[in-house]
Amino acid sequence: RYLQKDDILAMPNMRYTLKVIPSRSGNVGRIHLSNSASLNALDLDMVRFLNDLLPTYTNGIDGAPIPVEGEGANNTAPPSSALKAIILTSCNEKRKAFCAGGDVKSVYMAGMGLNDNEHDIHAKLNGQHGYGLENLSTANFFREEYQLNYKIAAQSLNIPQISIWDGIVMGGGVGLSVHGMYRVATEDCIFAMPETNIGFFPDVGSTYILSRLKGGIGNYIALTGARLKPDDLIYTGLATHYVPSKNIADMVDDIVTKSTDITNTRSATNSINDFTSVDIAASVLMSYHEEIARGESYIARHRDEIDELFHEPESVENIMTALEKSKTKFARTTLDMLRKMSPTSLKVTLEGIRRGRHCSDIAECLKMEFRMSQAFMREGSDFYEGIRAALVDKDRKPMWNLEEITDDHIESYFSCLGDKELDLSEGFVRRPSNL
């Protein structure tokens, strides 16, 4: 059975929301996003619950048993340190969305002083948004979301996270999943980081992930907000497996069964090493994985142009000039895409990817991204115009800041926040990237 509300409330300091449904099947922890009215977009309540929930899945709740799906009046499991995998899925009517991003409209309302939070209203009147101040929604949302991204990236290799990308995967949904061990794309998966189109930048650890893709692919994805299909995702390595949606339920059942088989093996051998060193998901995922014509994907077919135009360019202006000179259909399409984006966002994003390439780990990138996020929360930022045009008035006609964007202005997006810097005090567990 699913964990009930009383089960969750009994867990210490758990901030519960019905938009996330946790459960346990065998020795697999389940997390089910259930905010379908907003295409499972992450709001602060969901972020906080996930931040509280994940440690209980990986570390246990003071050794307390966790209820398990299934029959039996005394149906409890060993401490959750015995989990063998975590599966992340979503409430997905007609497979529209895994998670369409973060609740940036609420952040907009906070920054504009249009919500009912007196701290946000006072900060708007006094020009205090964008400096990492506590009690402000414009800081808390990004701070806590990035802390969640960090926890996912630092999960034990012995408890792999498997995210099922069935439908739209954008923004915050990417952050929930791309740092996990496995990302399974179905035929309905559409992946994008479209933040430059709303006056923001690809965050949630994207400066780490995208900067490590080969050639110019990362810059291309980050700047254009290009929508990638499953073959693109397999080609780039952003998805680890391709499984048709009709087979997902059986695949999940087999992972659960494998987790129980491993537990029984451990009981028979009485060897804790037999239990803790096995990745139960790898063989099951490969048995369901189907080959896809990755070499025929859009990214693959235009790889030469992408590398020529987007691999370590000197500036956004250089990219635009090269696109204007090119006569190919790809160049014309890409140029049209970039012309719709916030010029400030493009420049800040390119610099963020460049710096992210030299960060030692994702923790360093997330700390940098928090600085960037706060700069975009300041009054007059293109973020507010982008969200207005896309999600508030919905006229799709943003009036971007077209004044000269100086190097000093771009540098201000990376300025230290003093004692308001992102705190990632938990130890980071290094592991090799599987991109």
Side-chain angles (χ1 to χ4, degrees), residues 311-324:
H311 182 54
E312 298 185 1
E314 291 185 10
S315 66
V316 172
E317 289 85 355
N318 283 7
I319 296 173
M320 303 287 272
T321 298
L323 288 168
E324 289 169 352

Side-chain angles (χ1 to χ4, degrees), residues 69-91:
E69 294 179 357
E71 299 178 356
N74 297 314
N75 195 24
T76 57
S80 67
S81 57
L83 284 178
K84 300 308 299 173
I86 297 171
I87 298 179
L88 180 59
T89 55
S90 62
C91 180

Side-chain angles (χ1 to χ4, degrees), residues 177-368:
S177 51
V178 76
H179 306 300
M181 184 64 69
Y182 301 116
R183 289 86 59 191
V184 179
T186 75
E187 70 276 13
D188 294 305
C189 177
I190 297 292
F191 175 107
M193 294 299 293
E195 286 79 6
T196 57
N197 192 42
I198 58 168
F200 198 54
F201 72 101
D203 61 336
V204 296
S206 292
T207 58
Y208 182 82
I209 295 296
L210 297 183
S211 67
R212 283 155 177 78
L213 296 183
K214 295 179 180 179
I217 294 174
N219 282 332
Y220 172 74
I221 293 171
L223 295 173
T224 65
R227 297 193 171 201
L228 307 187
K229 296 181 179 180
D231 52 358
D232 295 309
L233 296 171
I234 294 295
Y235 175 79
T236 60
L238 288 166
T240 57
H241 299 80
Y242 172 72
V243 177
S245 55
K246 66 181 181 180
N247 296 333
I248 292 294
D250 288 342
M251 181 190 75
V252 169
D253 286 345
D254 284 355
I255 292 173
V256 171
T257 299
K258 186 74 173 290
S259 77
T260 305
D261 290 345
I262 292 295
T263 304
N264 292 336
T265 299
R266 180 212 173 183
S267 298
T269 62
N270 199 31
S271 171
I272 192 168
N273 289 330
D274 290 339
F275 188 56
T276 59
S277 61
V278 177
D279 179 350
I280 66 162
S283 61
V284 176
L285 291 173
M286 282 308 301
S287 71
Y288 280 89
H289 171 70
E290 295 188 8
E291 289 301 321
I292 191 169
R294 67 185 77 187
E296 298 177 9
S297 72
Y298 185 84
I299 297 290
R301 286 186 285 111
H302 297 286
R303 177 67 185 276
D304 290 343
E305 286 185 273
I306 289 173
D307 286 352
E308 181 180 353
L309 294 162
F310 289 92
H311 182 54
E312 298 185 1
E314 291 185 10
S315 66
V316 172
E317 289 85 355
N318 283 7
I319 296 173
M320 303 287 272
T321 298
L323 288 168
E324 289 169 352
K325 291 180 179 179
S326 177
K327 305 300 182 182
T328 68
K329 181 179 179 180
F330 171 83
R332 292 194 300 273
T333 300
T334 303
L335 185 60
D336 288 343
M337 294 167 69
L338 291 177
R339 283 174 171 166
K340 297 176 182 178
M341 308 306 183
S342 157
T344 302
S345 291
L346 291 175
K347 286 178 173 285
V348 172
T349 295
L350 183 61
E351 181 62 22
I353 297 293
R354 180 181 292 129
R355 296 188 185 204
R357 190 175 298 117
H358 301 289
C359 288
S360 60
D361 56 35
I362 192 173
E364 188 177 349
C365 281
L366 287 169
K367 290 177 181 180
M368 177 184 71

Side-chain angles (χ1 to χ4, degrees), residues 390-408:
L391 300 177
V392 180
D393 297 337
K394 300 181 180 180
D395 57 25
R396 305 291 176 181
K397 297 178 180 179
M399 301 295 291
W400 302 126
N401 177 12
L402 298 179
E403 296 180 6
E404 182 182 1
I405 305 167
T406 65
D407 291 344
D408 287 344

Side-chain angles (χ1 to χ4, degrees), residues 378-394:
R378 293 169 194 159
E379 189 169 356
S381 163
D382 272 354
F383 171 80
Y384 295 106
E385 178 60 13
I387 298 301
R388 179 207 64 75
L391 300 177
V392 180
D393 297 337
K394 300 181 180 180

